[in-house]
Amino acid sequence: MCSYCGCRSIGPIGDLSREHTQIQNLCGEVRRATDRGEHERAVAHLAELAVLLERHDSVEELSLYPAMARQPEYREKVGVLFDEHDDVDSIVATALATARERGAAEVEWAPVLGAFGTLVEHIQHEENGLFPAAAIALDPADWEHAERVRRQAG
């Protein structure tokens, strides 16, 4: 993650960056549990990740992404980021539904672990591209809106 521009000193970016660390740590926990064949533990970590992603995604999707989409050069990238959220969230939801309906041992972990690769790249694009650009492009009202969205998201 970047540390050169100081964008993390902006409250909402700092919060999202800290969550990125938590997200990556939980992905690692799921991966290690599946490697050991501890499917119940993997599902527990995946459920924790799903809760974190829901809150995290809502802050990005309801504040940062729309604000950055006002910048013509970021419209396409923001669309890709929205799509990646949808893809990862769908794969995680499918795995959790399988675990609830048929048991943790029945979860197909390959798509989940593959989605984690997408998630890591997604985070890198935000940390090294979108967040530094947002620090420059957005105004105080955008950051206040992001803080309100976070409070509402819990």
Coordinates of all heavy atoms in Angstrom, one line a residue, residues 30-122:
V30 N -8.7 -17.2 5.7 CA -9.5 -18.2 4.9 C -8.6 -19.1 4.1 O -8.8 -20.3 4.2 CB -10.5 -17.5 4.0 CG1 -11.2 -18.5 3.0 CG2 -11.5 -16.7 4.7
R31 N -7.6 -18.6 3.4 CA -6.7 -19.4 2.6 C -6.0 -20.4 3.5 O -5.9 -21.6 3.2 CB -5.7 -18.5 1.9 CG -4.8 -19.2 1.0 CD -3.8 -18.3 0.2 NE -4.5 -17.2 -0.5 CZ -5.1 -17.4 -1.7 NH1 -5.0 -18.6 -2.3 NH2 -5.7 -16.4 -2.3
R32 N -5.4 -19.9 4.6 CA -4.7 -20.9 5.5 C -5.6 -22.0 6.1 O -5.2 -23.1 6.2 CB -4.0 -20.1 6.6 CG -2.8 -19.3 6.2 CD -2.0 -18.7 7.3 NE -2.8 -17.5 7.9 CZ -2.8 -16.3 7.3 NH1 -2.1 -16.0 6.2 NH2 -3.5 -15.3 7.9
A33 N -6.8 -21.6 6.4 CA -7.8 -22.6 6.9 C -8.1 -23.6 5.9 O -8.2 -24.8 6.1 CB -9.0 -21.9 7.5
T34 N -8.3 -23.2 4.6 CA -8.6 -24.1 3.6 C -7.4 -25.0 3.3 O -7.6 -26.2 3.0 CB -9.1 -23.4 2.3 OG1 -8.1 -22.6 1.8 CG2 -10.4 -22.7 2.5
D35 N -6.2 -24.5 3.3 CA -5.0 -25.3 3.1 C -4.9 -26.4 4.1 O -4.4 -27.4 3.8 CB -3.8 -24.4 3.2 CG -3.6 -23.5 2.0 OD1 -4.3 -23.7 1.0 OD2 -2.7 -22.6 2.0
R36 N -5.4 -26.1 5.4 CA -5.3 -27.1 6.4 C -6.5 -28.0 6.4 O -6.6 -28.9 7.3 CB -5.1 -26.4 7.8 CG -3.8 -25.7 8.0 CD -3.7 -25.2 9.4 NE -4.8 -24.3 9.8 CZ -4.7 -22.9 9.8 NH1 -3.7 -22.3 9.4 NH2 -5.8 -22.2 10.2
G37 N -7.5 -27.8 5.5 CA -8.7 -28.6 5.5 C -9.7 -28.2 6.6 O -10.6 -29.0 6.9
E38 N -9.5 -27.1 7.2 CA -10.4 -26.6 8.4 C -11.5 -25.8 7.8 O -11.5 -24.6 7.9 CB -9.5 -25.8 9.4 CG -8.4 -26.6 10.0 CD -7.5 -25.7 10.9 OE1 -7.6 -24.5 10.9 OE2 -6.7 -26.4 11.6
H39 N -12.4 -26.5 7.2 CA -13.5 -25.8 6.4 C -14.4 -25.0 7.3 O -14.8 -23.9 6.9 CB -14.3 -26.8 5.6 CG -13.4 -27.6 4.6 ND1 -12.8 -27.0 3.5 CD2 -13.0 -28.9 4.6 CE1 -12.1 -27.9 2.9 NE2 -12.2 -29.0 3.5
E40 N -14.8 -25.5 8.5 CA -15.6 -24.7 9.4 C -15.0 -23.4 9.7 O -15.6 -22.3 9.7 CB -16.0 -25.5 10.6 CG -16.8 -26.7 10.4 CD -18.3 -26.3 10.0 OE1 -18.7 -25.2 10.3 OE2 -18.9 -27.2 9.4
R41 N -13.7 -23.4 10.0 CA -12.9 -22.2 10.4 C -12.8 -21.3 9.2 O -13.0 -20.1 9.3 CB -11.5 -22.6 10.8 CG -10.7 -21.3 11.3 CD -9.4 -21.8 11.9 NE -9.7 -22.5 13.1 CZ -9.0 -22.3 14.2 NH1 -8.0 -21.5 14.2 NH2 -9.4 -23.0 15.3
A42 N -12.6 -21.8 8.0 CA -12.6 -21.0 6.8 C -13.9 -20.3 6.6 O -14.0 -19.1 6.2 CB -12.3 -21.9 5.6
V43 N -15.0 -21.0 6.8 CA -16.4 -20.4 6.6 C -16.6 -19.3 7.7 O -17.1 -18.2 7.3 CB -17.5 -21.5 6.7 CG1 -18.8 -20.8 6.8 CG2 -17.4 -22.3 5.5
A44 N -16.1 -19.5 8.9 CA -16.2 -18.5 9.9 C -15.5 -17.2 9.5 O -16.0 -16.1 9.7 CB -15.8 -19.0 11.3
H45 N -14.3 -17.4 9.0 CA -13.5 -16.2 8.6 C -14.2 -15.6 7.3 O -14.2 -14.3 7.2 CB -12.1 -16.6 8.2 CG -11.2 -16.9 9.4 ND1 -11.0 -16.1 10.5 CD2 -10.5 -18.0 9.7 CE1 -10.3 -16.6 11.4 NE2 -9.9 -17.8 11.0
L46 N -14.7 -16.4 6.5 CA -15.4 -15.9 5.3 C -16.6 -15.1 5.7 O -16.9 -14.0 5.1 CB -15.7 -17.0 4.3 CG -16.2 -16.6 2.9 CD1 -15.1 -15.8 2.2 CD2 -16.6 -17.8 2.1
A47 N -17.3 -15.5 6.6 CA -18.5 -14.8 7.1 C -18.1 -13.4 7.7 O -18.8 -12.4 7.5 CB -19.3 -15.6 8.1
E48 N -17.0 -13.4 8.5 CA -16.5 -12.2 9.0 C -16.1 -11.2 7.9 O -16.4 -10.0 7.9 CB -15.3 -12.5 9.9 CG -14.8 -11.3 10.7 CD -13.6 -11.7 11.6 OE1 -13.4 -12.9 11.8 OE2 -13.0 -10.8 12.1
L49 N -15.5 -11.8 6.9 CA -15.1 -11.0 5.7 C -16.3 -10.4 5.0 O -16.3 -9.2 4.6 CB -14.2 -11.8 4.7 CG -13.8 -11.2 3.4 CD1 -12.9 -10.0 3.7 CD2 -13.1 -12.2 2.5
A50 N -17.3 -11.2 4.9 CA -18.5 -10.7 4.2 C -19.1 -9.5 4.9 O -19.6 -8.5 4.2 CB -19.6 -11.8 4.1
V51 N -19.2 -9.5 6.2 CA -19.7 -8.4 7.0 C -18.8 -7.2 6.7 O -19.3 -6.1 6.5 CB -19.8 -8.8 8.5 CG1 -20.1 -7.5 9.3 CG2 -20.8 -9.8 8.7
L52 N -17.5 -7.3 6.8 CA -16.6 -6.2 6.6 C -16.7 -5.7 5.2 O -16.8 -4.5 5.0 CB -15.2 -6.7 6.8 CG -14.1 -5.6 6.6 CD1 -14.3 -4.4 7.4 CD2 -12.7 -6.2 6.9
L53 N -16.8 -6.6 4.2 CA -17.0 -6.1 2.8 C -18.3 -5.3 2.6 O -18.3 -4.4 1.8 CB -16.9 -7.3 1.8 CG -15.5 -7.9 1.6 CD1 -15.7 -9.2 0.7 CD2 -14.6 -6.9 1.0
E54 N -19.3 -5.8 3.2 CA -20.6 -5.1 3.0 C -20.5 -3.6 3.5 O -20.9 -2.7 2.8 CB -21.7 -5.8 3.8 CG -23.1 -5.2 3.6 CD -24.2 -5.9 4.4 OE1 -23.9 -7.0 4.9 OE2 -25.3 -5.3 4.4
R55 N -19.9 -3.4 4.7 CA -19.8 -2.0 5.2 C -18.8 -1.2 4.3 O -19.1 -0.1 3.9 CB -19.3 -2.1 6.6 CG -19.2 -0.7 7.3 CD -18.7 -0.8 8.7 NE -17.4 -1.3 8.8 CZ -17.0 -2.3 9.5 NH1 -17.9 -3.0 10.3 NH2 -15.8 -2.7 9.5
H56 N -17.7 -1.9 4.0 CA -16.6 -1.2 3.3 C -17.1 -0.8 1.9 O -16.9 0.3 1.4 CB -15.4 -2.2 3.2 CG -14.3 -1.6 2.4 ND1 -13.3 -0.9 3.0 CD2 -13.9 -1.8 1.1 CE1 -12.4 -0.5 2.0 NE2 -12.8 -1.1 0.9
D57 N -17.8 -1.8 1.2 CA -18.3 -1.5 -0.2 C -19.3 -0.4 -0.1 O -19.3 0.4 -1.1 CB -18.9 -2.8 -0.7 CG -17.9 -3.9 -1.1 OD1 -16.7 -3.7 -0.9 OD2 -18.4 -5.0 -1.5
S58 N -20.1 -0.4 0.9 CA -21.2 0.7 0.9 C -20.6 2.1 1.0 O -21.0 3.0 0.3 CB -22.2 0.4 2.0 OG -21.6 0.6 3.3
V59 N -19.5 2.2 1.8 CA -18.9 3.5 1.9 C -18.3 3.9 0.5 O -18.4 5.0 0.1 CB -17.8 3.5 3.0 CG1 -17.0 4.8 3.0 CG2 -18.4 3.3 4.4
E60 N -17.6 3.0 -0.1 CA -17.0 3.3 -1.4 C -18.1 3.6 -2.5 O -18.0 4.6 -3.2 CB -16.1 2.2 -1.9 CG -14.8 2.1 -1.1 CD -13.9 0.9 -1.5 OE1 -14.3 0.0 -2.2 OE2 -12.7 1.0 -1.1
E61 N -19.1 2.7 -2.5 CA -20.1 2.8 -3.6 C -21.1 4.0 -3.4 O -21.6 4.4 -4.4 CB -20.9 1.5 -3.7 CG -20.0 0.3 -4.1 CD -20.7 -1.0 -4.2 OE1 -21.9 -1.0 -3.8 OE2 -20.1 -2.0 -4.6
L62 N -21.3 4.4 -2.2 CA -22.2 5.5 -2.0 C -21.6 6.9 -1.8 O -22.3 7.9 -1.7 CB -23.1 5.2 -0.7 CG -24.0 3.9 -0.9 CD1 -24.7 3.6 0.4 CD2 -25.0 4.1 -2.0
S63 N -20.2 6.9 -1.7 CA -19.6 8.2 -1.6 C -18.4 8.3 -2.5 O -18.4 9.2 -3.4 CB -19.2 8.4 -0.1 OG -18.2 7.4 0.3
L64 N -17.3 7.6 -2.3 CA -16.1 7.8 -3.0 C -16.3 7.6 -4.5 O -15.8 8.4 -5.3 CB -15.0 6.9 -2.5 CG -13.6 7.1 -3.1 CD1 -13.1 8.5 -2.9 CD2 -12.7 6.1 -2.5
Y65 N -16.8 6.4 -4.9 CA -16.9 6.1 -6.3 C -17.8 7.1 -7.1 O -17.4 7.6 -8.1 CB -17.5 4.7 -6.5 CG -16.6 3.6 -6.2 CD1 -17.0 2.3 -6.3 CD2 -15.3 3.8 -5.7 CE1 -16.3 1.2 -6.0 CE2 -14.5 2.7 -5.3 CZ -15.0 1.4 -5.5 OH -14.2 0.3 -5.2
P66 N -19.0 7.5 -6.6 CA -19.8 8.5 -7.3 C -19.1 9.8 -7.4 O -19.1 10.5 -8.5 CB -21.1 8.6 -6.6 CG -21.2 7.3 -5.8 CD -19.8 6.9 -5.5
A67 N -18.4 10.2 -6.4 CA -17.7 11.5 -6.4 C -16.5 11.4 -7.4 O -16.3 12.4 -8.2 CB -17.1 11.8 -5.0
M68 N -15.8 10.3 -7.5 CA -14.7 10.2 -8.5 C -15.2 10.0 -9.9 O -14.6 10.4 -10.8 CB -13.8 9.1 -8.1 CG -12.9 9.4 -6.9 SD -11.9 10.9 -7.1 CE -10.7 10.3 -8.4
A69 N -16.4 9.5 -10.0 CA -17.0 9.4 -11.4 C -17.3 10.7 -12.0 O -17.5 10.8 -13.2 CB -18.3 8.5 -11.3
R70 N -17.4 11.8 -11.2 CA -17.6 13.1 -11.8 C -16.3 13.5 -12.6 O -16.4 14.4 -13.4 CB -17.8 14.1 -10.7 CG -19.2 13.9 -9.9 CD -19.5 15.1 -9.1 NE -18.4 15.6 -8.3 CZ -18.3 15.5 -6.9 NH1 -19.2 14.8 -6.3 NH2 -17.3 15.9 -6.3
Q71 N -15.2 12.9 -12.3 CA -14.0 13.2 -13.0 C -14.0 12.3 -14.3 O -13.9 11.1 -14.2 CB -12.7 12.8 -12.2 CG -12.7 13.4 -10.8 CD -12.8 14.9 -10.8 OE1 -12.1 15.6 -11.5 NE2 -13.6 15.5 -9.9
P72 N -14.0 12.9 -15.5 CA -14.1 12.1 -16.7 C -13.1 11.0 -16.8 O -13.4 9.9 -17.3 CB -14.0 13.1 -17.8 CG -14.4 14.4 -17.2 CD -14.0 14.3 -15.7
E73 N -11.9 11.3 -16.4 CA -10.8 10.3 -16.5 C -11.0 9.1 -15.6 O -10.3 8.1 -15.7 CB -9.4 10.9 -16.4 CG -9.2 11.5 -15.0 CD -9.6 13.0 -14.8 OE1 -10.5 13.4 -15.5 OE2 -9.1 13.6 -14.0
Y74 N -11.9 9.2 -14.6 CA -12.1 8.1 -13.7 C -13.4 7.3 -13.9 O -13.6 6.3 -13.2 CB -11.9 8.6 -12.2 CG -10.5 8.7 -11.9 CD1 -9.9 9.9 -12.0 CD2 -9.7 7.7 -11.4 CE1 -8.5 10.1 -11.7 CE2 -8.4 7.8 -11.1 CZ -7.8 9.0 -11.3 OH -6.5 9.1 -11.0
R75 N -14.2 7.8 -14.8 CA -15.5 7.1 -14.9 C -15.4 5.6 -15.3 O -16.1 4.8 -14.6 CB -16.4 7.8 -16.0 CG -16.9 9.1 -15.5 CD -17.9 9.7 -16.5 NE -18.2 11.1 -16.0 CZ -18.0 12.2 -16.7 NH1 -17.6 12.1 -18.0 NH2 -18.3 13.3 -16.2
E76 N -14.6 5.3 -16.2 CA -14.5 3.9 -16.6 C -13.9 3.1 -15.5 O -14.3 2.0 -15.2 CB -13.6 3.8 -17.9 CG -13.5 2.4 -18.4 CD -12.7 2.3 -19.7 OE1 -12.7 3.3 -20.4 OE2 -12.2 1.2 -19.9
K77 N -12.9 3.6 -14.8 CA -12.2 2.9 -13.7 C -13.2 2.6 -12.6 O -13.2 1.5 -12.0 CB -11.0 3.6 -13.2 CG -10.3 2.9 -12.1 CD -9.7 1.6 -12.6 CE -9.0 0.8 -11.6 NZ -8.7 -0.6 -12.0
V78 N -14.0 3.6 -12.3 CA -15.0 3.5 -11.2 C -16.0 2.4 -11.6 O -16.4 1.5 -10.7 CB -15.7 4.8 -10.9 CG1 -17.0 4.6 -10.1 CG2 -14.8 5.8 -10.2
G79 N -16.4 2.3 -12.9 CA -17.3 1.2 -13.3 C -16.7 -0.1 -13.1 O -17.4 -1.1 -12.6
V80 N -15.4 -0.3 -13.4 CA -14.7 -1.5 -13.2 C -14.7 -1.9 -11.7 O -14.9 -3.0 -11.3 CB -13.3 -1.5 -13.7 CG1 -12.4 -2.7 -13.3 CG2 -13.3 -1.4 -15.3
L81 N -14.4 -0.9 -10.8 CA -14.4 -1.1 -9.4 C -15.7 -1.6 -8.9 O -15.8 -2.5 -8.0 CB -13.9 0.1 -8.7 CG -12.4 0.5 -8.9 CD1 -12.1 1.9 -8.3 CD2 -11.4 -0.5 -8.5
F82 N -16.8 -1.0 -9.3 CA -18.2 -1.4 -9.0 C -18.4 -2.9 -9.4 O -18.8 -3.7 -8.6 CB -19.2 -0.6 -9.7 CG -19.7 0.6 -8.9 CD1 -19.4 1.9 -9.4 CD2 -20.5 0.5 -7.8 CE1 -19.9 3.0 -8.8 CE2 -21.0 1.6 -7.1 CZ -20.7 2.9 -7.6
D83 N -18.0 -3.2 -10.6 CA -18.2 -4.6 -11.1 C -17.4 -5.6 -10.3 O -17.8 -6.7 -10.0 CB -17.7 -4.7 -12.6 CG -18.7 -4.0 -13.5 OD1 -19.8 -3.6 -13.1 OD2 -18.3 -3.7 -14.7
E84 N -16.1 -5.2 -9.9 CA -15.3 -6.1 -9.1 C -16.0 -6.3 -7.7 O -16.0 -7.5 -7.2 CB -13.9 -5.6 -8.9 CG -13.1 -5.6 -10.2 CD -11.8 -4.9 -10.2 OE1 -11.5 -4.2 -9.2 OE2 -11.0 -5.1 -11.1
H85 N -16.5 -5.3 -7.1 CA -17.3 -5.5 -5.9 C -18.4 -6.5 -6.1 O -18.5 -7.5 -5.2 CB -17.9 -4.2 -5.4 CG -17.0 -3.3 -4.7 ND1 -17.5 -2.1 -4.0 CD2 -15.7 -3.3 -4.4 CE1 -16.5 -1.5 -3.5 NE2 -15.4 -2.2 -3.7
D86 N -19.2 -6.3 -7.1 CA -20.3 -7.3 -7.4 C -19.8 -8.7 -7.6 O -20.4 -9.6 -7.0 CB -21.1 -6.8 -8.6 CG -21.8 -5.5 -8.4 OD1 -22.0 -5.1 -7.3 OD2 -22.2 -4.9 -9.4
D87 N -18.7 -8.9 -8.3 CA -18.2 -10.2 -8.6 C -17.7 -10.9 -7.3 O -18.1 -12.0 -7.0 CB -17.1 -10.2 -9.6 CG -17.5 -9.7 -11.0 OD1 -18.7 -9.7 -11.3 OD2 -16.6 -9.4 -11.8
V88 N -16.9 -10.2 -6.5 CA -16.4 -10.8 -5.3 C -17.5 -11.0 -4.3 O -17.6 -12.1 -3.7 CB -15.3 -9.9 -4.7 CG1 -14.9 -10.3 -3.3 CG2 -14.1 -9.8 -5.6
D89 N -18.4 -10.1 -4.1 CA -19.5 -10.3 -3.2 C -20.4 -11.5 -3.6 O -20.8 -12.2 -2.7 CB -20.4 -9.0 -3.1 CG -19.7 -7.8 -2.5 OD1 -18.6 -8.0 -1.8 OD2 -20.1 -6.7 -2.7
S90 N -20.6 -11.7 -4.9 CA -21.4 -12.8 -5.3 C -20.7 -14.1 -5.0 O -21.4 -15.1 -4.6 CB -21.7 -12.7 -6.8 OG -22.3 -13.8 -7.3
I91 N -19.4 -14.2 -5.3 CA -18.7 -15.5 -5.0 C -18.7 -15.8 -3.5 O -18.9 -16.9 -3.1 CB -17.3 -15.4 -5.6 CG1 -17.3 -15.4 -7.1 CG2 -16.4 -16.5 -5.0 CD1 -16.1 -15.0 -7.8
V92 N -18.5 -14.7 -2.7 CA -18.5 -14.9 -1.2 C -19.9 -15.4 -0.8 O -20.0 -16.3 0.0 CB -18.0 -13.7 -0.5 CG1 -18.3 -13.7 1.0 CG2 -16.5 -13.4 -0.8
A93 N -20.9 -14.7 -1.3 CA -22.3 -15.1 -0.9 C -22.7 -16.5 -1.3 O -23.3 -17.2 -0.5 CB -23.3 -14.1 -1.5
T94 N -22.2 -16.9 -2.5 CA -22.5 -18.3 -2.9 C -21.8 -19.3 -2.0 O -22.4 -20.3 -1.6 CB -22.0 -18.5 -4.4 OG1 -22.8 -17.6 -5.2 CG2 -22.1 -19.9 -4.9
A95 N -20.6 -19.0 -1.6 CA -19.8 -19.9 -0.8 C -20.5 -20.0 0.6 O -20.7 -21.1 1.2 CB -18.4 -19.5 -0.6
L96 N -20.9 -18.9 1.1 CA -21.6 -18.9 2.4 C -23.0 -19.6 2.4 O -23.3 -20.4 3.3 CB -21.8 -17.5 3.0 CG -20.5 -16.8 3.4 CD1 -20.7 -15.4 3.7 CD2 -19.8 -17.6 4.6
A97 N -23.7 -19.4 1.3 CA -25.0 -20.1 1.1 C -24.7 -21.6 1.0 O -25.5 -22.4 1.6 CB -25.7 -19.6 -0.2
T98 N -23.7 -22.1 0.3 CA -23.4 -23.5 0.2 C -23.1 -24.0 1.6 O -23.5 -25.1 1.9 CB -22.2 -23.7 -0.8 OG1 -22.6 -23.2 -2.1 CG2 -21.8 -25.2 -0.8
A99 N -22.3 -23.3 2.4 CA -21.9 -23.8 3.7 C -23.2 -23.9 4.6 O -23.3 -24.9 5.3 CB -21.0 -22.8 4.3
R100 N -24.1 -23.0 4.5 CA -25.4 -23.0 5.3 C -26.2 -24.2 4.8 O -26.8 -24.9 5.7 CB -26.2 -21.7 5.1 CG -25.8 -20.6 6.0 CD -26.8 -19.5 6.0 NE -27.1 -19.0 4.7 CZ -26.4 -18.1 4.0 NH1 -25.2 -17.7 4.4 NH2 -26.8 -17.7 2.8
E101 N -26.3 -24.4 3.5 CA -27.3 -25.4 3.0 C -26.7 -26.8 3.0 O -27.5 -27.8 3.2 CB -27.7 -25.0 1.6 CG -28.5 -23.7 1.5 CD -28.6 -23.1 0.1 OE1 -28.2 -23.8 -0.8 OE2 -29.0 -21.9 0.0
R102 N -25.4 -27.0 2.7 CA -24.9 -28.3 2.6 C -23.7 -28.6 3.5 O -23.2 -29.7 3.5 CB -24.5 -28.5 1.1 CG -25.7 -28.4 0.2 CD -25.4 -28.8 -1.2 NE -24.1 -28.6 -1.7 CZ -23.7 -28.0 -2.8 NH1 -24.7 -27.4 -3.5 NH2 -22.5 -27.9 -3.2
G103 N -23.2 -27.6 4.2 CA -22.0 -27.8 5.1 C -20.8 -27.2 4.5 O -20.6 -27.1 3.3
A104 N -19.9 -26.8 5.4 CA -18.6 -26.2 5.0 C -17.7 -27.0 4.1 O -17.0 -26.5 3.3 CB -17.9 -25.8 6.3
A105 N -17.8 -28.3 4.3 CA -16.9 -29.2 3.5 C -17.4 -29.2 2.0 O -16.6 -29.6 1.1 CB -16.9 -30.6 4.0
E106 N -18.6 -28.7 1.7 CA -19.1 -28.7 0.3 C -18.8 -27.5 -0.4 O -19.1 -27.4 -1.6 CB -20.6 -29.0 0.4 CG -21.0 -30.3 0.9 CD -20.4 -31.5 0.1 OE1 -20.4 -31.4 -1.1 OE2 -19.8 -32.4 0.7
V107 N -18.2 -26.5 0.2 CA -17.9 -25.2 -0.4 C -16.8 -25.4 -1.5 O -15.8 -26.1 -1.2 CB -17.4 -24.1 0.6 CG1 -16.9 -22.9 -0.1 CG2 -18.6 -23.8 1.6
E108 N -17.0 -24.9 -2.6 CA -16.0 -24.9 -3.7 C -15.0 -23.7 -3.4 O -15.4 -22.6 -3.6 CB -16.6 -24.8 -5.1 CG -17.4 -26.0 -5.4 CD -17.9 -25.9 -6.9 OE1 -17.2 -25.4 -7.7 OE2 -19.0 -26.4 -7.1
W109 N -13.9 -24.0 -2.9 CA -13.0 -22.9 -2.4 C -12.2 -22.3 -3.6 O -11.7 -21.2 -3.4 CB -12.0 -23.5 -1.3 CG -12.8 -23.7 -0.1 CD1 -13.1 -24.9 0.4 CD2 -13.3 -22.8 0.8 NE1 -13.9 -24.8 1.6 CE2 -14.0 -23.4 1.8 CE3 -13.3 -21.4 0.8 CZ2 -14.7 -22.8 2.9 CZ3 -14.0 -20.7 1.8 CH2 -14.6 -21.4 2.9
A110 N -12.0 -23.0 -4.7 CA -11.2 -22.4 -5.8 C -11.7 -21.1 -6.3 O -11.0 -20.1 -6.4 CB -11.1 -23.4 -6.9
P111 N -13.1 -20.9 -6.5 CA -13.6 -19.6 -6.9 C -13.4 -18.5 -5.8 O -13.1 -17.4 -6.1 CB -15.1 -19.8 -7.2 CG -15.2 -21.3 -7.3 CD -14.1 -21.9 -6.5
V112 N -13.5 -18.9 -4.6 CA -13.3 -18.0 -3.5 C -11.9 -17.5 -3.4 O -11.6 -16.3 -3.4 CB -13.7 -18.6 -2.1 CG1 -13.4 -17.7 -0.9 CG2 -15.2 -19.0 -2.1
L113 N -11.0 -18.4 -3.5 CA -9.5 -18.1 -3.5 C -9.2 -17.3 -4.7 O -8.4 -16.3 -4.6 CB -8.7 -19.3 -3.3 CG -9.0 -20.1 -2.0 CD1 -8.1 -21.3 -1.9 CD2 -8.8 -19.3 -0.7
G114 N -9.8 -17.6 -5.8 CA -9.5 -16.8 -7.0 C -10.0 -15.4 -6.9 O -9.4 -14.4 -7.4
A115 N -11.2 -15.2 -6.3 CA -11.8 -13.9 -6.0 C -10.9 -13.1 -5.1 O -10.8 -11.9 -5.3 CB -13.2 -14.0 -5.4
F116 N -10.1 -13.8 -4.2 CA -9.2 -13.0 -3.4 C -8.1 -12.4 -4.2 O -7.6 -11.3 -3.9 CB -8.6 -13.9 -2.3 CG -9.6 -14.4 -1.2 CD1 -9.2 -15.3 -0.3 CD2 -10.9 -13.9 -1.1 CE1 -10.1 -15.8 0.7 CE2 -11.7 -14.3 -0.2 CZ -11.4 -15.2 0.7
G117 N -7.7 -13.0 -5.3 CA -6.7 -12.5 -6.2 C -7.2 -11.2 -6.8 O -6.5 -10.2 -6.9
T118 N -8.5 -11.2 -7.2 CA -9.1 -10.0 -7.8 C -9.2 -9.0 -6.7 O -8.9 -7.8 -7.0 CB -10.5 -10.4 -8.3 OG1 -10.4 -11.4 -9.3 CG2 -11.3 -9.2 -8.8
L119 N -9.5 -9.3 -5.5 CA -9.7 -8.4 -4.4 C -8.3 -7.7 -4.1 O -8.3 -6.5 -3.9 CB -10.2 -9.1 -3.2 CG -10.7 -8.3 -2.1 CD1 -11.7 -7.2 -2.5 CD2 -11.4 -9.2 -1.0
V120 N -7.2 -8.4 -4.1 CA -5.9 -7.8 -3.8 C -5.6 -6.8 -4.9 O -5.1 -5.7 -4.6 CB -4.8 -8.9 -3.7 CG1 -3.4 -8.3 -3.8 CG2 -5.0 -9.7 -2.4
E121 N -5.8 -7.2 -6.2 CA -5.6 -6.2 -7.3 C -6.5 -5.0 -7.2 O -6.0 -3.9 -7.4 CB -5.8 -6.9 -8.6 CG -4.7 -7.9 -9.0 CD -4.9 -8.5 -10.4 OE1 -5.6 -7.9 -11.2 OE2 -4.5 -9.6 -10.6
H122 N -7.7 -5.2 -6.8 CA -8.7 -4.2 -6.6 C -8.2 -3.2 -5.5 O -8.2 -2.0 -5.8 CB -10.0 -4.8 -6.2 CG -11.1 -3.8 -5.9 ND1 -12.0 -3.4 -6.8 CD2 -11.4 -3.2 -4.7 CE1 -12.9 -2.6 -6.1 NE2 -12.5 -2.5 -4.9

